[in-house]
Amino acid sequence: MGHVAVTAIGADRPGIVAGVTEAIRDLGGNLEDVASTILRGHFTMMLVVDAPVPAADVEAALRDAVESLGVTVTAADVEAGAPGRPQATHALVVYGSDRPGIVAGIARLLAERGVNVTNLSCRLVGEEQPVYAMVAEVQVPEGDEDLPRLVEDRARELEVDVTLRPIEVETL
């Protein structure tokens, strides 16, 4: 049929990955991309599946498979094929006292410069004085010489520490 984007979220517990992936296998689906993590005690998972059935059938099968685990699932048709994957060119790390607006402030600057965020992870680190940590892989347009200075300026505005460095890729 085509490709289906799947999300699953529920209180973290053993068996969620098994339930989701077995249901997809039993439908004759093939996992193409998977990302998962635990966010504040909730397991979250996103998948792109090559499925021989419509998204509604995938969602129904998944709902049945993980209902006893307390997991909520959604499935939606997405464009078929393997679109080109953007390659990250830089790593961006931001640390600062936790407060609203850190990610939004950095993300807006990146968007205005045409920078694509290819991977993003944010966490509170520490107990007594939590520090907000943001780690991103980004694809910077070739020739953007001003970005490092602009990121530093935005970091000062947000009162955070920032590092933006190229990702060195070894070729064989």
Side-chain angles (χ1 to χ4, degrees):
M1 286 288 314
H3 287 77
V4 176
V6 174
T7 63
I9 186 168
D12 185 40
R13 63 186 293 179
I16 297 172
V17 173
V20 169
T21 58
E22 288 169 350
I24 291 168
R25 177 204 60 207
D26 292 348
L27 286 171
N30 185 43
L31 303 178
E32 291 196 357
D33 287 315
V34 178
S36 66
T37 192
I38 298 170
L39 301 172
R40 301 202 40 92
H42 285 80
F43 179 81
T44 61
M45 185 178 204
M46 297 175 293
L47 310 92
V48 174
V49 178
D50 184 6
V53 297
D57 293 352
V58 172
E59 187 170 316
L62 288 169
R63 197 176 315 113
D64 291 344
V66 296
E67 183 178 38
S68 66
L69 298 171
V71 174
T72 301
V73 295
T74 62
D77 290 312
V78 294
E79 184 178 328
R85 291 180 189 265
Q87 293 297 311
T89 59
H90 290 72
L92 175 69
V93 180
V94 179
Y95 286 100
S97 296
D98 183 35
R99 70 180 162 288
I102 294 172
V103 176
I106 297 293
R108 174 51 49 206
L109 170 65
L110 298 176
E112 289 168 355
R113 302 297 297 182
V115 175
N116 189 20
V117 177
T118 62
N119 197 358
L120 174 66
S121 178
C122 301
R123 297 229 187 272
L124 277 176
V125 180
E127 296 286 325
E128 291 180 30
Q129 292 184 332
V131 173
Y132 196 78
M134 173 182 162
V135 179
E137 293 176 2
V138 298
Q139 182 183 45
V140 177
E142 221 173 289
D144 190 342
E145 305 293 328
D146 294 328
L147 184 63
R149 177 185 52 79
L150 295 170
V151 167
E152 285 289 337
D153 292 347
R154 184 61 49 94
R156 274 191 294 284
E157 291 170 13
L158 296 169
E159 299 177 347
V160 296
D161 294 321
V162 66
T163 303
L164 176 67
R165 64 174 175 75
I167 296 174
E168 296 182 22
V169 178
E170 289 185 32
T171 56
L172 298 176

